[in-house]
Amino acid sequence: MQPTLADLYDQEGHYDSGNLTFLALWFDRGLNVLKLSSFRYWARTQVSKIRNRAWVSVLGLFLITQIGSHYIDKLLDWAGPFLASSVTVQVWWLVFLIVIIVVLPTLLALSYKYAHHRANRLNELDDSLLRLLSGLISSSSFTEKDDAMIRLLDEFLYDATKMFTDVQRGSVLRLDPDDPSYLSIWKSRGMPVESVDQTRFYIGSESDKERGIAGRTYLDGNLRVVHLSKKNGSWVPDSLDYKKSIRRDRPPYHSFAVVPMNSSEGKPIGVLCFDSMTQHEFDSPKIKDLLLALGNRITAAVEIFNSYTV
């Protein structure tokens, strides 16, 4: 029952200021006057939580002191002889136990952490693509759509490079607008301007021309990962398709990945590239799956752009 004004008076007609009902009523009405009904609900909820937790704590303490002590004494009586005796353990057996108890759970936890991190990054990238695609579609002129696509590619490369451990550079290549027998860089991140201008890969019909890794990937649609290692004082790639004209004394990367971009009809429309100073950055199956997932996403965006501009 809600307290009323009659509850505020004692039998002689005086205020009973020690009555809790008096305090509760005027506290409640004061909140109403100040229009703090939400605060009033929050205060009541917090008091209820504190009260419930207090009862749980008291009950738990009672169970531990009254019941738990009996079983703890029995456990100590049973384990006492084992604790007092000395045990000889071989070193290899101790190492095995440490690996099983400590190392494996730690590795599993780290693996889950990295997978969760990449999943979050991929969700953020999807949100960014959807937002930028809506701007691209709503653009009225070709120039506006082209500018919107450049922004989309730039943000995509920024988000994509953050998904790896040691990747700072990436690029999207398409058919060269001036010479469609070559691939050229459409948008890059982290690459110097001179490298962007000089990077071209032949994809025409002349079989005697050097195509490079990007050209081969564009034509056959297979993901490629290439490593560079130093032998006899020079850096040597592990692929014969590596373009001789771009070999250097000090390459800006020790490994790189080239991802095919094939349309929904199976037609190649470009390639996606990442490189790293870590030699085995792109070797694991999970990273290769991530590379293909990134390739599928940017391919879908390019297809939407082409449908509005072709």
Side-chain angles (χ1 to χ4, degrees), residues 1-3 23-32 36-52:
M1 176 181 290
Q2 287 286 88
L23 297 175
L25 177 62
W26 283 107
F27 178 73
D28 189 68
R29 293 201 171 185
L31 291 177
N32 280 331
L36 296 177
S37 57
S38 59
F39 174 79
R40 179 180 56 196
Y41 173 77
W42 174 86
R44 289 177 177 174
T45 303
Q46 297 308 313
V47 170
S48 177
K49 288 181 180 179
I50 294 172
R51 182 188 60 195
N52 293 337

Side-chain angles (χ1 to χ4, degrees), residues 7-122:
D7 297 323
L8 305 182
Y9 299 91
D10 58 18
Q11 294 180 353
E12 299 179 357
H14 300 291
Y15 282 119
D16 186 3
S17 57
N19 191 339
L20 290 179
T21 305
F22 171 84
L23 297 175
L25 177 62
W26 283 107
F27 178 73
D28 189 68
R29 293 201 171 185
L31 291 177
N32 280 331
V33 170
L34 296 174
K35 298 182 178 179
L36 296 177
S37 57
S38 59
F39 174 79
R40 179 180 56 196
Y41 173 77
W42 174 86
R44 289 177 177 174
T45 303
Q46 297 308 313
V47 170
S48 177
K49 288 181 180 179
I50 294 172
R51 182 188 60 195
N52 293 337
R53 289 171 184 171
W55 277 112
V56 170
S57 302
V58 170
L59 180 61
L61 183 62
F62 173 79
L63 291 176
I64 290 173
T65 54
Q66 299 299 320
I67 302 174
S69 58
H70 173 71
Y71 291 100
I72 291 174
D73 292 339
K74 282 193 172 183
L75 179 62
L76 291 175
D77 291 339
W78 175 79
F82 296 99
L83 296 175
S85 60
S86 60
V87 179
T88 302
V89 180
Q90 295 184 0
V91 175
W92 69 266
W93 180 247
L94 183 61
V95 172
F96 175 76
L97 288 177
I98 293 174
V99 170
I100 294 296
I101 297 173
V102 179
V103 177
L104 287 182
T106 302
L107 292 177
L108 288 174
L110 289 175
S111 177
Y112 172 79
K113 176 184 175 182
Y114 291 141
H116 184 67
H117 171 75
R118 291 195 181 102
N120 287 339
R121 291 290 190 188
L122 208 54

Side-chain angles (χ1 to χ4, degrees), residues 100-250:
I100 294 296
I101 297 173
V102 179
V103 177
L104 287 182
T106 302
L107 292 177
L108 288 174
L110 289 175
S111 177
Y112 172 79
K113 176 184 175 182
Y114 291 141
H116 184 67
H117 171 75
R118 291 195 181 102
N120 287 339
R121 291 290 190 188
L122 208 54
N123 288 334
E124 292 174 3
L125 183 143
D126 289 340
D127 292 340
S128 176
L129 284 178
L130 287 173
R131 174 175 52 82
L132 293 168
L133 279 173
S134 63
L136 185 151
I137 293 171
S138 62
S139 302
S140 56
S141 66
F142 173 79
T143 302
E144 290 179 352
K145 289 188 184 298
D146 192 57
D147 292 341
M149 189 62 194
I150 293 297
R151 288 194 299 272
L152 184 149
L153 292 172
D154 186 57
E155 286 208 28
F156 169 81
L157 290 172
Y158 172 76
D159 291 334
T161 53
K162 292 194 299 181
M163 294 186 183
F164 303 95
T165 304
D166 182 27
V167 174
Q168 288 80 37
R169 308 196 328 166
S171 59
V172 176
L173 287 77
R174 63 170 176 175
L175 296 180
D176 193 310
D178 299 324
D179 187 354
S181 62
Y182 284 88
L183 290 176
S184 61
I185 292 181
W186 189 1
K187 184 63 181 176
S188 66
R189 183 168 189 84
M191 295 180 64
V193 177
E194 57 271 17
S195 296
V196 174
D197 295 338
Q198 295 172 6
T199 302
R200 283 162 56 88
F201 299 93
Y202 183 70
I203 55 171
S205 57
E206 299 180 29
S207 58
D208 58 335
K209 281 193 174 183
E210 194 175 35
R211 301 186 184 278
I213 303 296
R216 291 291 181 189
T217 300
Y218 177 88
L219 293 173
D220 63 20
N222 293 321
L223 169 70
R224 282 177 168 81
V225 175
V226 179
H227 312 86
L228 280 75
S229 56
K230 199 168 187 179
K231 296 180 180 179
N232 300 324
S234 61
W235 290 93
V236 180
D238 59 2
S239 173
L240 296 176
D241 292 321
Y242 189 80
K243 206 172 178 182
K244 295 183 179 66
S245 59
I246 60 175
R247 290 181 182 173
R248 318 171 186 187
D249 295 334
R250 290 186 177 182

